[in-house]
Amino acid sequence: MVLLLRSETKWLPAHTRTSAVPSATTSSETLSSCPAATASVKPVCRGGGDRNIQECPVCKKVSSKREQCCDLVLRNLCEAFLLERDHASSSDSEALCSLHAEKLKLFCLHHQQPVCVVCRDSKTHTNHSFRHVDEAAQEHREKLQKSLKPLQEKLKLFEEVKGKFDQTSEHIKVQARHTERQIKEEFKKLHQFLQEEEEARTAALRQEEKQKSQKMKEKMEALSREIAALSDTIRATEKQLKAKDISFLLRYKAAAERIQQRPLLDDPQLHSGALIEAAKHLGNLSFNIWNKMKEKVCYTPVVLDPNTAGPDLVLSEDLTSMTFGDEQKLPETS
């Protein structure tokens, strides 16, 4: 709802006018000079001059101010506001009975409410017990304070627990980073072992390849020499066979001796160990590596828990041993 304040020319919303929410200072300064200072002010001309003079239409008082607060309703609102505020400030110190307009001096223990002396003698409070307001207020304050104490203690406990929870939250982050670093170090060791094992096995394979390739090369060179010698003998003999009879017979003896001096050798064959022994390199490879890895790692049936260790105990990185050291601040866990 928007309150409209009437001006000389038009209706304006209250929030567009200055002092729409009046204070004591504003009302006292604005309304003290004239009872109708907040009324509509209009300019008039006196003495035949051309100078405009601000005159109040209610009291006819001339004002030297060029701008006036032009609203009578606003003055009424200010006065109503001041009255209501004064009434609210005095209501607590002079609390009156809503039925008899008497001061509330007694407290009914049966109805648990303040009453006046007239209410005490009324039929409503027959055979009821009463206390003086001061005594009842003190008694009920002590009772309420006693009821409040467990809540205050519980609040203090909760705040202490919250502080421990905050500390635990930070410790969890530190613990996670430390554990992550240890995990990476352990896998780094395993990766290093596997890499070294891979390099050793590939080096053995290349060595075997080199040795057997060299033997095969030697055999091929020897076979090539034998093929060349046989080819020479065959070509010479075939040439001799194509010669004329007399020439053939004259050289027959030498050709026969040359053939006899070149005995037929056994057919060359690959021996069983000529190829790469793939079975030796690949057979049970994972098991052999794992079996060899057991020499690098060990199983510990008992592992120490850092979360339950005493604050003056320092555990080893693999959690298998401990030593005494400076006391550490660790979160308490149940």
Side-chain angles (χ1 to χ4, degrees):
M1 178 178 180
V2 180
L3 178 63
L4 298 180
L5 303 180
R6 186 178 181 182
S7 69
E8 185 67 16
T9 56
K10 60 181 178 180
W11 292 87
L12 297 177
H15 66 271
T16 63
R17 301 287 304 276
T18 59
S19 303
V21 180
S23 63
T25 303
T26 304
S27 60
S28 62
E29 292 178 353
T30 306
L31 308 177
S32 60
S33 60
C34 175
T38 54
S40 176
V41 178
K42 55 185 178 180
V44 297
C45 181
R46 289 186 177 181
D50 57 355
R51 185 170 57 91
N52 290 335
I53 298 176
Q54 303 289 341
E55 183 180 89
C56 176
V58 178
C59 65
K60 306 301 181 180
K61 184 178 179 180
V62 177
S63 173
S64 60
K65 297 181 180 180
R66 298 191 60 84
E67 294 184 2
Q68 299 292 333
C69 181
C70 303
D71 203 322
L72 187 59
V73 179
L74 183 59
R75 177 195 174 193
N76 298 333
L77 288 176
C78 292
E79 292 177 348
F81 173 78
L82 293 176
L83 290 175
E84 182 179 355
R85 187 188 64 177
D86 294 340
H87 177 71
S89 62
S90 62
S91 60
D92 182 65
S93 60
E94 299 180 357
L96 301 179
C97 175
S98 60
L99 298 177
H100 309 105
E102 296 288 340
K103 291 185 179 181
L104 301 175
K105 296 183 178 181
L106 301 176
F107 184 80
C108 178
L109 300 180
H110 181 77
H111 286 161
Q112 291 291 307
Q113 65 180 10
V115 297
C116 67
V117 292
V118 180
C119 292
R120 178 192 60 186
D121 300 330
S122 64
K123 183 178 180 181
T124 305
H125 296 278
T126 303
N127 297 328
H128 289 181
S129 298
F130 299 89
R131 293 282 189 277
H132 194 272
V133 169
D134 296 339
E135 180 182 353
Q138 180 63 25
E139 180 181 350
H140 282 73
R141 280 194 180 94
E142 294 176 354
K143 184 183 298 184
L144 187 61
Q145 183 66 31
K146 186 177 180 181
S147 301
L148 184 62
K149 188 174 181 180
L151 299 180
Q152 294 173 336
E153 294 177 352
K154 182 66 69 174
L155 175 61
K156 182 179 179 181
L157 176 62
F158 282 176
E159 290 176 347
E160 293 176 356
V161 173
K162 183 178 182 299
K164 293 180 180 179
F165 282 0
D166 293 338
Q167 181 184 0
T168 302
S169 178
E170 294 299 325
H171 181 71
I172 288 174
K173 296 178 181 178
V174 175
Q175 196 177 29
R177 300 290 81 77
H178 177 70
T179 305
E180 181 181 359
R181 184 175 66 254
Q182 288 181 287
I183 291 174
K184 290 183 177 181
E185 289 177 357
E186 289 298 322
F187 273 94
K188 185 178 180 180
K189 294 177 182 178
L190 296 176
H191 293 161
Q192 182 67 22
F193 168 78
L194 293 175
Q195 184 177 1
E196 293 175 355
E197 189 68 19
E198 178 186 358
E199 292 175 354
R201 290 180 178 274
T202 52
L205 176 62
R206 292 193 185 98
Q207 182 65 22
E208 182 181 0
E209 178 189 9
K210 182 178 179 181
Q211 293 175 355
K212 293 188 174 181
S213 296
Q214 182 62 29
K215 290 181 180 181
M216 185 58 62
K217 182 179 179 181
E218 294 174 356
K219 289 181 176 293
M220 292 176 64
E221 290 177 352
L223 184 59
S224 296
R225 290 193 297 270
E226 188 66 23
I227 290 175
L230 289 176
S231 298
D232 292 342
T233 302
I234 291 172
R235 281 196 300 271
T237 304
E238 289 179 346
K239 185 178 180 181
Q240 189 65 30
L241 291 173
K242 294 179 180 179
K244 294 182 178 181
D245 296 342
I246 298 300
S247 178
F248 170 75
L249 293 174
L250 291 174
R251 298 176 180 177
Y252 169 76
K253 184 176 180 180
E257 292 176 356
R258 186 168 56 250
I259 292 175
Q260 291 176 358
Q261 291 176 358
R262 181 65 60 182
L264 296 176
L265 302 177
D266 295 335
D267 296 339
Q269 295 179 353
L270 293 175
H271 58 84
S272 58
L275 302 178
I276 296 294
E277 297 183 16
K280 181 184 71 174
H281 296 285
L282 298 177
N284 295 320
L285 178 61
S286 300
F287 175 80
N288 292 333
I289 295 176
W290 173 77
N291 201 27
K292 190 174 181 179
M293 187 182 295
K294 289 194 298 183
E295 301 174 1
K296 302 291 183 179
V297 298
C298 60
Y299 172 75
T300 304
V302 178
V303 179
L304 302 178
D305 186 0
N307 294 333
T308 58
D312 56 344
L313 297 178
V314 180
L315 304 185
S316 60
E317 293 293 332
D318 57 357
L319 305 179
T320 58
S321 61
M322 62 181 180
T323 57
F324 288 96
D326 297 334
E327 185 172 346
Q328 308 175 66
K329 293 183 179 180
L330 300 175
E332 296 180 3
T333 56
S334 57

